[in-house]
Amino acid sequence: MKRIKVFAPASIANLGCGFDIMGLALDEVGDVLEMTLDETADSGITIINDTDVPLPSDPEDNVVTPVIRKFFEMTGHRGHVQVRIVKKIFPGSGIGSSAASSAAAAFGINELFSAPLSEEDVVVCTMEGENLASGGYHADNAAPAVMGGITLIRGYDPLDIIKLPVPGNLYCPVIHPHLTVSTKQARSILPREIPMHTAVTQWGNVGGLVAGLCTGNIELVGRAMRDAVAEPFRKQFIPGFDELRAKLLGAGALAMNISGSGPSVFALANRADIAQRVGAIMERHFAQQGILSETYVVKVSNKGARLIA
């Protein structure tokens, strides 16, 4: 019997202009799984939820299951795996809940078998969980949850992941208002085609964001982290979105965007005191509208999925 304990971080997808191709890992916030492997038993997967977060009772509906099956398919290994979920981001929060569990499971099963898969292959396994959760193979949350830092998905066929530099003084206040926005719903309202001038604006912002990260120019990162494609349609799900952005930029934030498909909102700051102030403004904004929320004020993390015991 082999036993390990694994952590995988929460993540922010899209980063404004990087729809489906960019994401970052958050420090401290994430999922914890305890995993046990019995190679002598018949193959199977047992999932135990030791959290207060409601999760599917049927293992077939839990993102952990297709992740582990993908690992077995890719490696030919077999055995019975027990997964105990010890800590869980609330599903639908917009900070990579399904990706965190999927990444922890993928990293953990790889470790239990002495790491036969590369880091990128672990991302491939993680994407199986994302497909179950949202109906698509996307790595914008999966890649940073596994690899940490800020990642760019240059292409999906074949999968080509580039890890970008993380400026040392990059803070990311995030708020999860208690609103319901499903990924499928948030995708369904997006246009299938966009005007050329909108595409040009988005391309310029993606280039500026990558250039700002590579040169350590945080002000450029802030200017470039704007979304001309999805945000105009998705911000309707977040009460007072434009008003909140104005407040945060006025308080010193470099940028504010929707985290993934929402409802969480994130900002960037280059100082800890500004990040704390921005987090407090976020809380007040939703509280004034009678909306409960959780706020995290953390740094962008270079650490992805990892063993903690």
Side-chain angles (χ1 to χ4, degrees), residues 110-258:
N110 196 43
E111 287 295 309
L112 284 169
F113 283 98
S114 302
L117 296 184
S118 68
E119 191 172 51
E120 195 162 285
D121 284 337
V122 172
V123 175
V124 171
C125 290
T126 302
M127 289 167 64
E128 291 292 330
E130 290 288 79
N131 180 52
L132 176 62
S134 63
Y137 289 91
H138 306 290
D140 45 357
N141 285 110
V146 171
M147 303 169 70
I150 301 174
T151 55
L152 167 69
I153 316 301
R154 191 215 57 80
Y156 280 94
D157 188 19
L159 187 63
D160 187 1
I161 305 171
I162 301 164
K163 194 167 180 181
L164 299 171
V166 179
N169 55 335
L170 193 58
Y171 295 85
C172 189
V174 186
I175 188 163
H176 170 216
H178 289 193
L179 304 167
T180 301
V181 180
S182 75
T183 301
K184 292 179 181 178
Q185 177 189 25
R187 283 185 175 275
S188 69
I189 65 167
L190 299 181
R192 295 187 179 275
E193 297 180 355
I194 59 174
M196 179 62 76
H197 72 271
T198 301
V200 170
T201 298
Q202 197 84 336
W203 292 332
N205 284 335
V206 171
L209 179 53
V210 172
L213 291 169
C214 289
T215 60
N217 186 337
I218 296 184
E219 286 73 22
L220 174 57
V221 169
R223 293 200 308 275
M225 199 172 279
R226 297 177 184 274
D227 178 16
V229 173
E231 181 188 292
F233 299 90
R234 289 179 167 177
K235 67 181 182 180
Q236 64 181 286
F237 296 126
I238 302 170
F241 181 87
D242 291 328
E243 177 190 355
L244 177 58
R245 170 177 277 156
K247 290 177 185 176
L248 299 188
L249 295 181
L254 298 168
M256 187 202 91
N257 290 103
I258 301 169

Side-chain angles (χ1 to χ4, degrees), residues 36-38 41-46 68-69 72 78-82:
T36 304
L37 169 66
D38 185 352
D42 292 337
S43 291
I45 303 168
T46 302
I68 293 175
R69 284 182 178 156
F72 285 151
R78 292 292 180 267
H80 187 275
V81 183
Q82 176 182 284

Side-chain angles (χ1 to χ4, degrees), residues 8-52:
S11 54
I12 303 292
N14 298 346
L15 307 189
C17 54
F19 182 78
D20 276 359
I21 62 167
M22 297 189 75
L24 61 78
L26 295 173
D27 200 17
E28 302 175 18
V29 188
D31 285 7
V32 176
L33 307 183
E34 292 179 351
M35 301 180 66
T36 304
L37 169 66
D38 185 352
E39 291 184 79
T40 66
D42 292 337
S43 291
I45 303 168
T46 302
I47 302 173
I48 302 168
N49 181 13
D50 269 354
T51 75
D52 294 330

